[in-house]
Amino acid sequence: MKNKKGIYLFLLILLPALIFLFLKGFGENRFQIPIYYSNGIGDTLRQVTCLERNTDQYIVKSSELEMGITKVVHFERMDGPVLKTRLEELEKVQDVFYNNPDIKMMSYLNQASIQTDAITGYNQRVTFMDQFWHFKELDSTSWSNLKYCGMVMSDLDNRVVLVDAKNRIRGYYNIMEREETDRLILELRILQTIDLENE
């Protein structure tokens, strides 16, 4: 009876150790971030007529978005408490990545309804680091073209978009929810790891 208990105890200790060693030696800890529209736009947002509907990987084509860096893109059209919350959440992203020259955050403002002066009025609560976080006013047509035709977003869509260095859309985030901001930060870290491995 004592021999059986000893064997069970030995297996109970040995089995988890063997599993751990096997996973450590042969397992890979890899995360993937989806690449949106890898087979083209298809039937996405039929009401947006300006989208290129082919079967190739969708690439955001805009002179506003430079190639070679990862971009967090935010669109804003109104001032108010929702803007304050969004800016505070985006500041968390800035706090993590402001020293990284391969990541930029861009906030595009619809010039018809909000100007940069309104945004900079928040600088008592939110710190804007100019080398990382860029604000740009666009006229309504350019703003709409970039948001709807470039980023594949609807009129009611207020999400933040993650665009990789090849101008492929990698994610949409509703940063009004803290979990989504955390997910954006995590996926930016993963994307940076993937970019470093591919160099």
Side-chain angles (χ1 to χ4, degrees):
M1 190 69 169
K2 287 185 178 183
N3 282 341
K4 284 187 179 182
K5 284 184 181 179
I7 291 172
Y8 288 135
L9 183 60
F10 178 73
L11 288 175
L12 226 110
I13 293 170
L14 183 63
L15 190 60
L18 289 174
I19 291 172
F20 173 77
L21 290 173
F22 174 78
L23 291 175
K24 187 83 170 160
F26 297 105
E28 283 190 41
N29 191 6
R30 297 189 137 260
F31 296 97
Q32 292 295 322
I33 302 171
I35 299 173
Y36 283 68
Y37 316 116
S38 57
N39 296 321
I41 298 293
D43 291 337
T44 305
L45 295 175
R46 275 286 167 206
Q47 70 272 22
V48 181
T49 57
C50 60
L51 292 171
E52 289 182 27
R53 300 191 183 276
N54 57 34
T55 56
D56 298 332
Q57 166 66 56
Y58 180 73
I59 304 291
V60 180
K61 295 178 179 99
S62 172
S63 58
E64 297 294 332
L65 302 174
E66 70 177 281
M67 297 282 277
I69 61 166
T70 301
K71 298 153 285 282
V72 176
V73 182
H74 158 241
F75 293 91
E76 201 56 62
R77 81 166 112 200
M78 285 193 241
D79 194 358
V82 172
L83 172 61
K84 176 186 170 288
T85 303
R86 264 199 281 269
L87 293 176
E88 288 170 349
E89 290 300 311
L90 286 170
E91 184 182 29
K92 293 174 187 172
V93 176
Q94 173 186 257
D95 290 345
V96 175
F97 296 105
Y98 72 92
N99 275 333
N100 190 328
D102 297 325
I103 300 175
K104 297 286 181 234
M105 192 156 53
M106 286 116 128
S107 291
Y108 293 101
L109 310 175
N110 188 333
Q111 190 176 23
S113 54
I114 188 169
Q115 285 75 39
T116 307
D117 298 344
I119 299 286
T120 55
Y122 287 100
N123 63 3
Q124 288 91 19
R125 288 183 229 128
V126 178
T127 304
F128 304 112
M129 297 183 179
D130 294 338
Q131 76 274 14
F132 178 79
W133 194 344
H134 304 274
F135 289 90
K136 185 163 186 182
E137 292 179 26
L138 298 175
D139 62 74
S140 291
T141 303
S142 299
W143 186 87
S144 296
N145 282 339
L146 182 57
K147 181 177 181 180
Y148 307 131
C149 306
M151 297 295 168
V152 193
M153 298 173 81
S154 70
D155 190 35
L156 300 173
D157 202 341
N158 287 320
R159 296 175 295 175
V160 169
V161 184
L162 175 59
V163 180
D164 69 13
K166 296 177 182 175
N167 278 9
R168 300 174 299 184
I169 296 174
R170 299 304 290 263
Y172 293 95
Y173 309 86
N174 179 6
I175 60 164
M176 294 300 289
E177 300 171 12
R178 171 175 246 147
E179 296 80 20
E180 287 286 284
T181 305
D182 293 341
R183 183 171 71 93
L184 171 59
I185 290 169
L186 175 65
E187 291 187 2
L188 269 166
R189 285 183 172 144
I190 293 168
L191 194 56
Q192 287 301 292
T193 303
I194 292 169
D195 288 347
L196 288 174
E197 288 173 358
N198 292 335
E199 285 183 352

